[in-house]
Amino acid sequence: MKKEWIVTKMDHQSRIDDFAYKHHISKKALKDIKMQGDILVNGIHQTVRYCLNFGEIVTFIFPKEENKIAPENIPFTIVYEDDDLMVIDKQPHIACIPTRARPCHTLANAITYYYQTIGLSSTVHFVNRLDKETRGLMIVAKHRYIHDLMKYTHIRRIYRAHIEGNVKQGSIRLPIYKDGYAMKRVIDERGKPSCTHYRSLDDHGLVEFCLETGRTHQIRVHMSAIGHALIGDSLYGDGTGEFDLESYKITFIHPTTKQVIHIEKKSYKDKMKIKK
C-alpha cells in the first residue's frame, strides 16, 4: 500500500516526519516505513529530515503486512465494502480474534481466508469489536493506515436488546472495573468511566442503547446494575446464556472519501439498508 500527497504552500519547508504526522501516519508506522518501506519525493528516495517544497509529490510506501492468523473458510456477511474498509454483520457465538484458549474458528480466521481469495495482503484490523455472544455491525479496516485514520473518526453505534422488566429513558454513568483475569466486569470506583444512554422501543422490554464509551460488556454490566439485566444473560443475570444484544445502527465519516456512511438493520430478518 502507498499514500501520496502534493505539498501545499502551507507545508512548504516542512520536514517529512512532521508532514507524515499531520496526515495521521503514526510514529510507529513511520518507523516501519523507514525500515521496511520507502519515502519518495518526486520519485526519489528521501529521509524524514528532508524539507519539502511547494508542489512536490510525497509518497509513503507502507511495508507489506504479515498476517499470521490461520485462514478458515467460515461464511460471514459483508454489508458494505470498498478499497479501504468493510462493514460486516457478525453472527453471535463467534469470537472476533484467536486466543490461546480459542486459537481458531474466529471472525479473524474467516476474514483472513476472505483476504486470500481477493488477493489482499493485510492483517485483520478491527475498528470496533463485539463480544462473542453479541451480533451485529462491525467495521474492519483493510489496511493499517486506514485503521489509524479511524482512530480520529467518531463512530456512533446503536444497540438493541430485550431486558428484564421495563424502562423508559435515561443514562447510566458508572465506572466498570476488570478484576484480574476474571471474565465478569463489576461496577467499582477503581474502574474506567463509562456511560450508557438507553430508551424503550416498545412495551415488551426491547430497549435501544447508545454508548459514549466502549467498555467490555458495558451494556450488560450497566443494565444489570440498575436491576434490568438482558433477558437470557447468565453472567450478569439469571438467564440461560442466550441473549439478543445486537449492534444494529452504525454511522461514521469515511476516512478517505469523507462521505457519511450510515448503515441500519431494520429488523433481525430484514436486509440491510445502506445509505451513502
Side-chain angles (χ1 to χ4, degrees):
M1 176 187 175
K2 67 179 182 180
K3 295 299 295 182
E4 197 168 79
W5 290 277
I6 298 175
V7 179
T8 64
K9 290 182 179 179
M10 186 177 298
D11 294 314
H12 179 65
Q13 290 301 297
S14 295
R15 281 174 47 126
I16 284 180
D17 49 4
D18 292 330
F19 184 84
Y21 303 148
K22 179 179 178 180
H23 288 84
H24 303 306
I25 295 177
S26 67
K27 290 184 178 180
K28 186 177 186 306
L30 185 59
K31 180 180 179 180
D32 290 343
I33 290 170
K34 290 192 300 180
M35 301 297 293
Q36 303 173 52
D38 204 354
I39 301 170
L40 306 176
V41 178
N42 291 343
I44 300 173
H45 170 78
Q46 297 291 350
T47 70
V48 294
R49 296 185 297 275
Y50 178 84
C51 291
L52 297 164
N53 297 301
F54 171 64
E56 289 181 323
I57 299 173
V58 187
T59 305
F60 295 94
I61 300 176
F62 288 72
K64 182 179 179 180
E65 295 188 32
E66 184 179 3
N67 188 345
K68 297 182 179 180
I69 298 172
E72 290 185 71
N73 187 7
I74 304 169
F76 66 97
T77 302
I78 301 173
V79 298
Y80 174 87
E81 182 176 19
D82 59 32
D83 291 340
D84 296 321
L85 52 81
M86 301 187 296
V87 178
I88 65 176
D89 182 19
K90 175 187 175 296
Q91 295 302 304
H93 314 303
I94 184 168
C96 288
I97 59 174
T99 62
R100 288 185 179 181
R102 191 186 301 109
C104 57
H105 202 68
T106 71
L107 200 51
N109 297 107
I111 293 172
T112 297
Y113 179 87
Y114 173 68
Y115 283 175
Q116 289 190 357
T117 66
I118 63 174
L120 178 61
S121 178
S122 179
T123 190
V124 179
H125 302 283
F126 289 116
V127 176
N128 64 307
R129 295 186 192 177
L130 297 176
D131 299 336
K132 181 183 176 184
E133 305 305 329
T134 302
R135 72 179 72 209
L137 304 174
M138 291 179 56
I139 305 171
V140 183
K142 287 186 172 181
H143 303 282
R144 174 181 181 177
Y145 176 67
I146 300 302
H147 187 248
D148 287 343
L149 280 185
M150 289 299 294
K151 295 175 183 177
Y152 302 93
T153 301
H154 173 69
I155 304 170
R156 180 175 173 81
R157 296 164 293 164
I158 307 295
Y159 298 75
R160 62 185 170 193
H162 285 88
I163 64 165
E164 300 283 355
N166 288 285
V167 295
K168 292 184 179 180
Q169 183 172 333
S171 299
I172 306 169
R173 293 181 172 85
L174 295 170
I176 295 177
Y177 181 68
K178 182 181 185 300
D179 190 5
Y181 293 99
M183 177 182 296
K184 188 174 182 179
R185 270 59 174 174
V186 296
I187 301 299
D188 191 290
E189 62 182 8
R190 294 173 294 174
K192 296 180 179 179
S194 307
C195 181
T196 302
H197 305 290
Y198 63 88
R199 70 181 182 95
S200 175
L201 294 177
D202 62 20
D203 296 327
H204 305 288
L206 182 61
V207 176
E208 180 181 88
F209 308 95
C210 180
L211 306 184
E212 283 191 18
T213 52
R215 314 302 180 202
T216 300
H217 298 177
Q218 179 173 317
I219 292 172
R220 299 165 64 189
V221 177
H222 274 174
M223 295 312 293
S224 176
I226 64 171
H228 295 283
L230 271 58
I231 291 177
D233 192 344
S234 59
L235 189 60
Y236 298 99
D238 56 3
T240 61
E242 293 285 337
F243 52 89
D244 62 355
L245 182 61
E246 177 179 43
S247 168
Y248 82 108
K249 292 181 186 179
I250 196 163
T251 305
F252 61 95
I253 297 176
H254 195 288
T256 56
T257 68
K258 305 305 178 185
Q259 289 181 306
V260 176
I261 305 295
H262 173 75
I263 303 175
E264 177 177 350
K265 297 177 65 175
K266 286 300 184 181
S267 74
Y268 296 140
K269 296 182 180 180
D270 287 350
K271 292 182 179 180
M272 307 299 167
K273 180 180 180 183
I274 303 177
K275 297 185 294 184
K276 290 178 65 178

